[in-house]
């Protein structure tokens, strides 16, 4: 009797195993389908509702006509988007329909950002911003890179360094993080002015936090109470090299820069920065700079727009290098700096 009972049990065992394997395959297939469905729904939502991404849907209409037949490349009024070869090999992007849908959504997002930057800061780059999406870039999925292309020349008897284009490379893992995406795209606008790092990062965090809902750096309550000084009593923002650094002060710098940029905006009105960049553009002095401008030059433009001397304000915040300048001072500084750079090259 025992032998007879053992055989049916063995058959039942293998039947159960087979059923579990089938169930696992079905479950995996359902999971993959569900993930694909969620991706499609997310992209359709972004396409339908630009308010969830940026201020408002862009004025320019973006359709299938903006995308190439193989959907590896798309172009709008101010951007291009390209899928790198390594990304085309992934299941999520190996079909034309999915790439097409993603590219349209991305261009809508970036055009809405363009209009927001123009509305709030007056930026209006003459060149297109070229965005390439990768699976990995420079061996990593964790870094986004912006490369500025320049051309050099002499105009009206003076040396000039002009922007000919902006190339941005995103691993998809970084591009899909909304905060990273808008932060890096914002730099494509600010890079052309050679402004100090703290001002560039402050603008990027402001847009990231207040308009793209992707902020990770809340404002401080007080610029004076929350300031941090180095051993020489200097505000730790002054010598900030940028967001590539990794130090205990990094998060403080982002927050404090954002707080400072937002405070000036609050004090002097929504068109404050528009007027600042209009003055910079009119003077064209930034085009003669070989390196980032000192904060003193930036404060000169701030003061011109504010209608009052802002040097004392910055000195109270321990920007100890800030000096009161005239335009003649700035021109002489740039001429002397560039002459020294030229001598080093000879």
């Amino acid at each position: 009797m025992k032998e007879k009972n053992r055989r049916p049990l063995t058959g039942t065992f293998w039947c159960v195993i087979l059923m579990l394997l089938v169930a696992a395959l079905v479950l995996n297939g359902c999971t993959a389908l569900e993930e694909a469905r969620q991706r499609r729904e997310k992209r359709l939502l972004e396409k339908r509702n630009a308010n969830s991404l940026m201020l408002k849907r862009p004025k320019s209409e973006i359709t299938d006509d903006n995308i190439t037949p193989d959907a590896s490349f798309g172009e709008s009024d101010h951007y291009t988007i390209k899928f790198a070869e390594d990304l085309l090999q992934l299941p999520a992007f190996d079909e034309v329909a999915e790439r097409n849908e993603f590219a349209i959504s991305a261009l809508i997002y970036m055009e809405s950002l363009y209009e927001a930057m123009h509305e709030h800061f007056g930026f209006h780059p003459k060149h297109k911003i070229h965005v390439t999406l990768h699976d990995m870039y420079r061996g990593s999925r964790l870094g986004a890179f912006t490369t500025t292309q320049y051309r050099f020349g002499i105009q009206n008897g003076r040396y000039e360094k002009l922007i000919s284009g902006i190339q941005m490379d995103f691993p998809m893992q970084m591009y899909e993080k909304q905060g990273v995406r808008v932060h890096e795209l914002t730099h494509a606008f600010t890079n052309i002015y050679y402004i100090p790092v703290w001002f560039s990062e402050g603008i990027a965090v402001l847009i990231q936090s207040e308009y793209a809902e992707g902020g990770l750096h809340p404002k401080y309550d007080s610029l004076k109470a929350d300031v941090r000084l180095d051993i020489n009593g200097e505000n730790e923002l002054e010598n900030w090299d940028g967001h590539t650094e990794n130090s205990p002060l990094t998060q403080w710098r982002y927050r404090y820069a954002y707080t400072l940029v937002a405070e000036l905006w609050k004090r002097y009105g929504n068109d404050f920065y528009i007027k600042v960049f209009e003055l910079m553009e009119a003077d064209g002095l930034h085009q003669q700079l070989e390196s980032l401008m000192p904060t003193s030059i930036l404060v000169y433009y701030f003061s011109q727009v504010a209608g009052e001397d802002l040097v004392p304000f910055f000195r109270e915040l321990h920007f100890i290098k800030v000096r009161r300048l005239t335009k003649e001072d700035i021109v002489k500084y740039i001429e002397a700096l560039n002459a020294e750079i030229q001598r080093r090259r000879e």
Side-chain angles (χ1 to χ4, degrees), residues 245-259:
E245 72 163 18
N246 184 19
S247 81
L249 283 170
T250 299
Q251 294 305 313
W252 173 85
R253 283 179 168 134
Y254 279 119
R255 290 184 63 185
Y256 197 86
Y258 168 33
T259 306

Side-chain angles (χ1 to χ4, degrees), residues 228-342:
R228 295 194 184 182
L229 310 178
D230 67 11
I231 196 170
N232 296 315
E234 182 176 8
N235 191 309
E236 288 281 9
L237 281 190
E238 281 213 74
N239 296 316
W240 191 12
D241 292 330
H243 64 295
T244 56
E245 72 163 18
N246 184 19
S247 81
L249 283 170
T250 299
Q251 294 305 313
W252 173 85
R253 283 179 168 134
Y254 279 119
R255 290 184 63 185
Y256 197 86
Y258 168 33
T259 306
L260 179 49
V261 168
E263 175 62 24
L264 290 170
W265 205 3
K266 177 182 176 182
R267 287 190 183 195
Y268 298 106
N270 291 336
D271 61 350
F272 177 68
Y273 291 122
I274 292 176
K275 292 179 179 179
V276 166
F277 285 105
E278 283 178 349
L279 279 182
M280 287 187 186
E281 193 70 40
D283 287 348
L285 297 177
H286 61 283
Q287 295 172 347
Q288 301 174 61
L289 284 166
E290 276 281 4
S291 57
L292 299 182
M293 68 175 64
T295 297
S296 292
I297 295 180
L298 183 64
V299 172
Y300 163 80
Y301 286 107
F302 284 170
S303 299
Q304 293 297 304
V305 174
E308 62 177 303
D309 182 10
L310 290 182
V311 171
F313 170 78
F314 278 85
R315 294 300 293 272
E316 285 180 7
L317 298 179
H318 300 274
F319 282 77
I320 63 177
K321 293 177 184 175
V322 168
R323 297 289 183 270
R324 189 173 293 104
L325 299 176
T326 64
K327 186 181 292 187
E328 290 73 22
D329 294 329
I330 297 172
V331 170
K332 289 178 181 178
Y333 165 80
I334 292 173
E335 289 175 347
L337 181 64
N338 289 345
E340 177 62 27
I341 292 171
Q342 292 300 320

Side-chain angles (χ1 to χ4, degrees), residues 159-173:
Y159 167 86
E160 287 192 346
K161 181 180 181 182
L162 303 176
I163 307 295
S164 57
I166 295 282
Q167 172 65 42
M168 307 192 74
D169 291 277
F170 283 94
M172 184 56 69
Q173 181 174 320

Side-chain angles (χ1 to χ4, degrees), residues 57-62 76-78 107-108 111-112 115:
R57 192 178 183 87
K59 296 175 184 176
S60 56
E61 187 66 23
I62 298 170
S76 59
D77 291 345
H78 305 106
L107 289 173
I108 289 173
E111 285 294 337
S112 67
E115 291 181 10

Side-chain angles (χ1 to χ4, degrees), residues 1-256:
M1 290 293 295
K2 290 182 179 179
E3 186 66 25
K4 289 181 181 179
N5 288 337
R6 192 176 295 129
R7 287 175 183 170
L9 183 61
T10 303
T12 301
F13 173 78
W14 286 112
C15 183
V16 170
I17 292 296
L18 181 60
M19 290 175 64
L20 288 174
L21 287 173
V22 171
L25 290 172
V26 171
L27 182 61
N28 285 338
C30 290
T31 301
L33 288 172
E34 177 62 18
E35 289 177 351
R37 184 189 67 78
Q38 290 176 0
R39 286 199 304 272
R40 285 195 296 272
E41 286 188 355
K42 179 183 177 183
R43 290 169 193 166
L44 285 172
L45 177 63
E46 291 182 355
K47 184 178 179 181
R48 289 195 305 267
N49 183 16
N51 286 323
S52 69
L53 302 171
M54 206 56 221
L55 292 175
K56 55 190 176 184
R57 192 178 183 87
K59 296 175 184 176
S60 56
E61 187 66 23
I62 298 170
T63 66
D64 292 342
D65 294 336
N66 294 83
I67 314 300
T68 57
D70 67 350
S72 63
F73 179 84
E75 186 169 12
S76 59
D77 291 345
H78 305 106
Y79 295 89
T80 67
I81 187 167
K82 177 182 177 182
F83 294 94
E85 285 295 327
D86 66 339
L87 198 60
L88 298 177
Q89 311 306 315
L90 299 183
F93 297 97
D94 62 354
E95 294 183 8
V96 170
E98 284 220 329
R99 292 197 300 272
N100 186 80
E101 192 172 49
F102 190 98
I104 290 175
S105 175
L107 289 173
I108 289 173
Y109 178 91
M110 292 189 292
E111 285 294 337
S112 67
L113 172 63
Y114 185 96
E115 291 181 10
M117 294 297 290
H118 178 61
E119 180 180 352
H120 292 283
F121 294 97
F123 296 134
H124 194 251
K126 299 178 178 64
H127 53 272
K128 285 199 173 184
I129 299 170
H130 304 287
V131 176
T132 301
L133 302 177
H134 307 258
D135 176 30
M136 297 182 68
Y137 186 68
R138 298 182 180 178
S140 173
R141 293 188 176 93
L142 300 178
F145 296 86
T146 301
T147 304
T148 307
Q149 292 100 34
Y150 302 99
R151 58 185 175 85
F152 306 88
I154 303 295
Q155 186 170 331
N156 298 324
R158 67 184 189 186
Y159 167 86
E160 287 192 346
K161 181 180 181 182
L162 303 176
I163 307 295
S164 57
I166 295 282
Q167 172 65 42
M168 307 192 74
D169 291 277
F170 283 94
M172 184 56 69
Q173 181 174 320
M174 300 303 290
Y175 183 85
E176 290 191 328
K177 293 181 179 180
Q178 187 171 310
V180 174
R181 185 194 323 171
V182 71
H183 187 104
E184 294 304 322
L185 286 167
T186 299
H187 284 314
F189 294 86
T190 59
N191 281 0
I192 66 176
Y193 292 96
Y194 308 99
I195 56 180
V197 166
W198 70 263
F199 186 41
S200 177
E201 296 296 344
I203 289 175
V205 177
L206 186 148
I207 289 292
Q208 177 184 356
S209 300
E210 299 190 17
Y211 296 107
E213 300 179 359
L216 300 174
H217 311 289
K219 284 187 287 190
Y220 284 111
D221 294 330
S222 169
L223 286 169
K224 292 183 179 179
D226 292 300
V227 70
R228 295 194 184 182
L229 310 178
D230 67 11
I231 196 170
N232 296 315
E234 182 176 8
N235 191 309
E236 288 281 9
L237 281 190
E238 281 213 74
N239 296 316
W240 191 12
D241 292 330
H243 64 295
T244 56
E245 72 163 18
N246 184 19
S247 81
L249 283 170
T250 299
Q251 294 305 313
W252 173 85
R253 283 179 168 134
Y254 279 119
R255 290 184 63 185
Y256 197 86

